[in-house]
Amino acid sequence: MAKNLLLEYSEKLACEIAALCNEHKIDSNTVYQIKKSSSSVFANISEAQYPQSLADMLSKFEIARKECMETESWLKLIFSSGCIDERTFKKHRNLCGRIRRMLTSSCITIENKIKQG
């Protein structure tokens, strides 16, 4: 269940970031970077649905977590530069935070399973 919710949230993030980029005047490099990082969150979580091993799943989740943090960083830059308002920033930042927490929890669970053999 949690994996499906995680996949759902990551897809929502990628779609909402794409829409945000289309609706606001943001420089092209930043648009490219934030779209790339947010879609990578979704792509890695999607790939983790059919892992070759627990270690593979862990790796995909760890990459997704890093990409989620990168997306948050780009959101902060966009907000700080005045391209989006505080409400928009917090809405997307909070979704990133929710995904990161779910990924962290999943990583801990997988690491414990790997240690147990």
Side-chain angles (χ1 to χ4, degrees):
M1 174 82 172
K3 274 199 284 186
N4 292 337
L5 194 55
L6 186 55
L7 190 59
E8 182 182 316
Y9 285 155
S10 65
E11 183 176 10
K12 179 179 179 180
L13 177 67
C15 291
E16 287 185 0
I17 292 298
L20 178 140
C21 290
N22 292 334
E23 295 167 4
H24 294 84
K25 187 171 168 59
I26 304 168
D27 83 89
S28 61
N29 180 60
T30 303
V31 166
Y32 171 76
Q33 294 292 344
I34 195 168
K35 281 184 172 181
K36 186 172 169 246
S37 63
S38 64
S39 62
S40 181
V41 174
F42 174 65
N44 278 286
I45 291 170
S46 294
E47 284 186 47
Q49 303 304 300
Y50 298 98
Q52 295 173 335
S53 63
L54 282 175
D56 182 46
M57 179 184 277
L58 178 62
S59 176
K60 300 291 186 236
F61 280 174
E62 287 174 335
I63 292 167
R65 188 170 52 180
K66 285 192 222 178
E67 294 290 338
C68 198
M69 192 67 232
E70 181 180 340
T71 301
E72 259 186 88
S73 297
W74 287 114
L75 279 168
K76 181 157 180 19
L77 183 67
I78 292 168
F79 171 64
S80 297
S81 65
C83 296
I84 58 174
D85 61 29
E86 186 174 4
R87 185 185 66 74
T88 302
F89 166 66
K90 286 183 176 179
K91 172 187 168 193
H92 294 91
R93 183 200 60 193
N94 290 347
L95 181 55
C96 284
R98 180 177 298 142
I99 293 167
R100 271 190 305 101
R101 287 188 298 277
M102 292 175 76
L103 285 166
T104 297
S105 177
S106 295
C107 287
I108 291 168
T109 300
I110 295 167
E111 287 168 348
N112 288 336
K113 285 182 181 180
I114 290 171
K115 287 176 187 173
Q116 291 173 359

